[in-house]
Structures are given as C-alpha cells and as structure tokens.
Amino acid sequence: MCAKRTKIMIEENVKKLLKEIPAANPQGEAVTLVAAVKMQTPEAINEAICAGIRAIGDNHVQEFRDKYDLIKGNPEHHFIGHLQTNKVKYLIGKVDLYHSVDRYNLAEELSRRGAAAGVVSNVLVQINIGNEETKGGFELDEAAEACKNISALPALNIKGLMAMLPFIDDESELRRLATLMRQKYDELCAVYPQFEHLSMGMSGDWKLCVECGSNMIRLGTSIFGPRHYN
Ligand SMILES: *Cc1c(COP(=O)(O)O)cnc(C)c1O
C-alpha cells in the first residue's frame, strides 16, 4: 500500500497511465514514463514512485537539491528543464539523464565538471522543433552538427534527442512536427549506435507523440493534477 497524503489521487493516476501507455511505440520500442515533478512535494513524488514510477524529472536545481535526500524507492533522477551553467556543479553525479542540453556552453560545462569528478553524464540534445522564440534548443537543421560537436566532448554520453511541441491545437501540425523529430532521430541513430531515447510528449500531447515514434514521455499534470503557480 502506498501512503496517501494528497487529495489528488496520484496512485490511481499512475496506475491508470501505466495501463494506458502502450507497451511499445510503432517502432517496437518500449515507452518510458518520466514523472515531471516540478513544484511537487517529496510526499507526492514518493506516492507516485510507490505506485510504479521509475524515473522522475526535475526542472529547478534548487528544488532538486532540497528534495533529493527525501525521495524514496531509488528512482532514476532526470533533469528536464532549462539548466543554468553556473548550477551544473550541484547536479554532477546525481542525474541519470539530462534531457535539455540546449546550447554548447551547457554541454561544455557538463563535460568539464564531469571530467573533473570522474563522471560521464548521459545527455539528450534538445531541439526547438517549433522554432519558438520562448524555447531553447537547436534548430532541427542544426541537430546533426550539434550531436557531432556534443558527442566529441569527453565526459558526455549522447543518448538521443528531446523536444517540446508547441502549445497549439492544430493536431495535424503537431503530428507533422513529431514525425520530423522521429525522422531526425532515426537519421542520427544510424550515426550514433548508443542512441536510445527520443524524449517527446507531455500530458496534453503524449499519445500523439508516442504514435509518431516517441519512446520517452514526461508527464506532470496527468500524474499530480494541475500545478498552482503563485
Ligand atoms: C512541466 C514539464 C513537463 C510536464 O508537463 P505536463 O503538461 O504537466 O505534463 C514535461 N517536460 C518539461 C520540460 C516540463 O517542464
């Protein structure tokens, strides 16, 4: 039994999602669920882990540090949000996968700090698939060059691509963008045999993303309910 301290039915949400998420995407790859835990309490996160979540993804370094020792059940720790270069030092050796390597100086800092600590970090290269000014990441056309440069850094292991689709209602446009991401991922898989993850899909669009070939989805709202920003 999971300890239930929250009004939102986290355990039920997780169990329902784990049933709903297909065992494989159309390419036959298993789909990994990462719980997006920004603004959630350690109790809520532990309830989700107890219900079957195996990986949690943080957005904020301070939250990550405050909660790290309170998380039970030994999940994978992912970092999914924008990461300031001067905060990399707090994460080295504690993050199993960085989803959001969106610029070269971040990749360089992760490699430099990792090398000094004897740690090789797993990273995804973030692509700004909607060419949105408000989002970070490399352009789709830059993806191959970005992977080439980032994979050359000594203390990084490049494991795939990450993207956030734009918040638009146009389903055919979303499918077009998600499919472009999958095509780029396939193209790069041929170059980088260590590629494993195409991280794409949030609460509002994960089904579409999995249908288009995502194999890693990051869900917050559908697990924990709506976030209340002050
Ligand atoms: C918050 C967040 C998510 C989850 O968003 P939901 O819509 O709540 O599922 C996924 N990825 C990133 C990078 C996020 O910041």
Side-chain angles (χ1 to χ4, degrees):
M1 270 296 285
C2 298
K4 284 188 204 170
R5 298 181 185 85
T6 43
K7 282 191 216 109
I8 304 283
M9 300 202 289
I10 295 171
E11 182 182 356
E12 286 77 358
N13 290 347
V14 169
K15 290 189 168 154
K16 185 167 157 265
L17 278 167
L18 290 174
K19 275 196 202 121
E20 214 179 340
I21 296 168
N25 67 10
Q27 287 76 9
E29 299 153 351
V31 178
T32 302
L33 169 59
V34 179
V37 298
K38 58 176 171 274
M39 302 177 66
Q40 305 304 332
T41 62
E43 290 75 19
I45 298 167
N46 287 336
E47 187 177 337
I49 293 165
C50 181
I53 290 293
R54 306 262 43 97
I56 64 173
D58 268 285
N59 280 70
H60 302 289
V61 173
Q62 192 58 49
E63 273 190 47
F64 177 93
R65 297 177 73 200
D66 289 346
K67 291 185 286 201
Y68 189 80
D69 289 331
L70 303 171
I71 300 301
K72 304 200 173 102
N74 201 24
E76 284 188 17
H77 287 267
H78 295 197
F79 200 85
I80 64 176
H82 178 75
L83 178 52
Q84 286 173 263
T85 320
N86 62 353
K87 300 206 171 140
V88 164
K89 55 178 178 282
Y90 300 118
L91 299 181
I92 289 294
K94 291 184 166 174
V95 170
D96 297 290
L97 182 65
Y98 295 88
H99 289 232
S100 45
V101 175
D102 56 1
R103 59 200 194 281
Y104 287 126
N105 69 344
L106 174 59
E108 283 155 9
E109 180 69 0
L110 282 166
S111 181
R112 197 174 68 79
R113 292 272 175 185
V119 168
V120 174
S121 298
N122 295 316
V123 300
L124 306 180
V125 173
Q126 183 173 345
I127 304 300
N128 186 352
I129 187 63
N131 287 316
E132 295 174 276
E133 271 179 31
T134 52
K135 288 200 178 117
F138 297 91
E139 286 176 29
L140 190 65
D141 288 347
E142 300 172 325
E145 204 197 333
C147 288
K148 187 168 167 232
N149 292 330
I150 290 169
S151 67
L153 293 168
L156 297 186
N157 187 15
I158 182 168
K159 301 286 278 183
L161 302 179
M162 180 271 212
M164 267 186 275
L165 297 183
F167 292 110
I168 54 173
D169 274 338
D170 184 344
E171 188 179 323
S172 65
E173 176 63 2
L174 290 172
R175 280 186 193 276
R176 187 183 74 84
L177 295 174
T179 303
L180 283 174
M181 277 302 304
R182 180 67 205 201
Q183 284 166 355
K184 185 59 73 178
Y185 177 76
D186 285 336
E187 189 186 309
L188 291 166
C189 279
V191 183
Y192 304 99
Q194 74 273 31
F195 263 33
E196 267 181 67
H197 311 301
L198 175 55
S199 169
M200 180 171 69
M202 311 187 9
S203 293
D205 60 16
W206 69 265
K207 285 181 192 161
L208 175 157
C209 286
V210 170
E211 283 166 18
C212 295
S214 169
N215 59 29
M216 185 168 266
I217 57 178
R218 310 173 308 268
L219 307 187
T221 309
S222 23
I223 295 173
F224 300 105
R227 289 178 290 276
H228 302 288
Y229 294 94
N230 302 322

